[in-house]
Amino acid sequence: MAEETLTITDNRTGRRYDVPIRNGAIAATDLQKITSNGSGSGLLSYDPAFLNTASCRSAITFIDGERSILRYRGYPVEELAERSSFLEVAYLLIHGELPDPTQHGQWVDAITHHTLLHENIKKLIDGFHHDAHPMGILVGTVGALSTFYPDAKDIFNEASRRLQILRLIAKMPTLAAFAARHAVGMPYAYPDNDLSYAGNFLNMMWKATELKYEPNPVLERALDILLILHADHEQNCSTNVMRAVGSAHADPFSATAAAAAALYGPLHGGANEQVLRMLKEIGSVSRVSEYVKRVRSGELRLMGFGHRVYKNYDPRAQIIKKVADDVLAVTGRSPLLDIALELERVALADDYFIKHRLYPNVDFYSGIIYSAIGFPVEMFPVLFAIGRTPGWLAQWQEGLLDPEQKIARPRQVYTGSPERHLPGIRAAKAEAGTSAS
Ligand code: ACO
């Protein structure tokens, strides 16, 4: 059998090196032994956006971007979206296996009973400006939770980790709904323990004066599916942040705040908000071709298209398209969906998109569903954050418990000035006859 090694010849020195290959990867630290003169710190690999660098080993999520495959703990996301619930998927991501009925009951019960927030968090939200973006409020308040739960610092205590995981999954929707109601000046609606995770979120968003809020079952299920589809996506930008902050042994509330801040960016979780703005800007099906021409000329990017990993259809986008039909059957057809369908049709037939292998990603249709359910665009990244929380926590815990993980601390290729000196020191050095470059 062929040896699992890579032989590298350094043409500067003529030396050859054998580097072991494990799990389809070489260890970047094995390159350190490759030096130009036998000393020094050795060769670095340069990969500013982690385009081809594995930052960890992980048993949580598998993606094959060429074949449109996404699996959580081995289960295809399509099966989970069809047959499972968000809380069951959250359990799966965190524990590695689906829960049995007893475990499921205990898990749902524990999350349901951690949904309340400390009343001071309400005061904190009250302090935000009336037009504060809810994602900004979420980032601030989830970070603030760390001050309410100092026990969360006990990250190597399994029971403490479990408690913080329950708290975070339970409280994210409450923080999110309170942030949304703050923007419209509505009194905060407290959680209703009789409802499902998604149903309760709809309750906290829209309960008005009625004694009991009754979520529409189609919209409740659609939201649950969207949360499942967003639950994890291996080492994406925000998850990488979660692991990096976690690697410094920060508490999970602080790490989640950092991950949510990364998700806020328009190239990541902010994209669904941008998709809706884009569809509104296009305004009608007849203007789609003209818009695609502007994208092709490099003037703008088509939001909701393209992905670092998927060079084929994002499997989540396929499922979401079907959910959009179910939701719009209840809420009424949206002209934005017609624009989106035409945009997809024109783009997928266009040379530029074919050459760049750009397909719709998860965000392309999710905004249309959120909007049809009634969420304001500012809430879109917040919804993404609720869905991604179990994934962040599973990855955070996996990183903490992995003996190979250390504090994340990349190297750099220095391109700045060589040593130089302040004028007075340079003059003194020149006078003393020492080098003063
Ligand atoms: N519209 C037009 N052109 C695009 C798009 C797009 N949406 N995405 C990529 N390209 C082009 C780039 O201009 C570049 O072209 P070039 O090689 O001729 O210069 C090429 O495709 C590669 O693009 P990169 O930016 O290098 O690809 P990268 O993997 O770094 O970026 C990203 C991936 C950020 C998702 C990108 O496709 C993008 O900006 N998409 C729009 C924003 C979006 O939808 N983000 C959501 C991502 S999914 C998520 O986070 C849940």
Side-chain angles (χ1 to χ4, degrees), residues 181-235:
R181 289 175 82 107
H182 173 72
V184 286
M186 291 271 284
Y188 305 120
Y190 281 74
D192 180 342
N193 288 356
D194 294 339
L195 297 176
S196 73
Y197 190 82
N200 173 48
F201 182 55
L202 297 174
N203 157 68
M204 292 189 290
M205 281 294 300
W206 286 300
K207 182 170 188 291
T209 54
E210 67 270 44
L211 284 180
K212 183 108 183 142
Y213 179 86
E214 303 219 345
N216 177 300
V218 175
L219 305 188
E220 183 182 359
R221 178 66 189 142
L223 182 59
D224 204 62
I225 293 175
L226 282 165
L227 294 175
I228 292 173
L229 298 182
H230 285 89
D232 196 47
H233 212 229
E234 52 121 296
Q235 306 313 312

Side-chain angles (χ1 to χ4, degrees), residues 266-269 271 295 300-308 311 316 352-353 356 358 361-363 384:
L267 293 188
H268 190 17
V295 173
L300 27 92
R301 276 190 177 209
L302 198 55
M303 299 314 285
F305 259 71
H307 199 276
R308 172 61 58 79
K311 300 303 169 197
R316 300 167 300 173
Y352 175 90
F353 290 85
H356 289 83
L358 299 170
N361 60 47
V362 67
D363 286 324
F384 193 155

Side-chain angles (χ1 to χ4, degrees), residues 281-299:
E281 189 197 328
I282 296 173
S284 84
V285 168
S286 62
R287 294 182 53 201
V288 163
S289 297
E290 173 200 326
Y291 196 85
V292 170
K293 260 189 220 144
R294 288 171 65 199
V295 173
R296 215 173 34 199
S297 70
E299 190 190 326

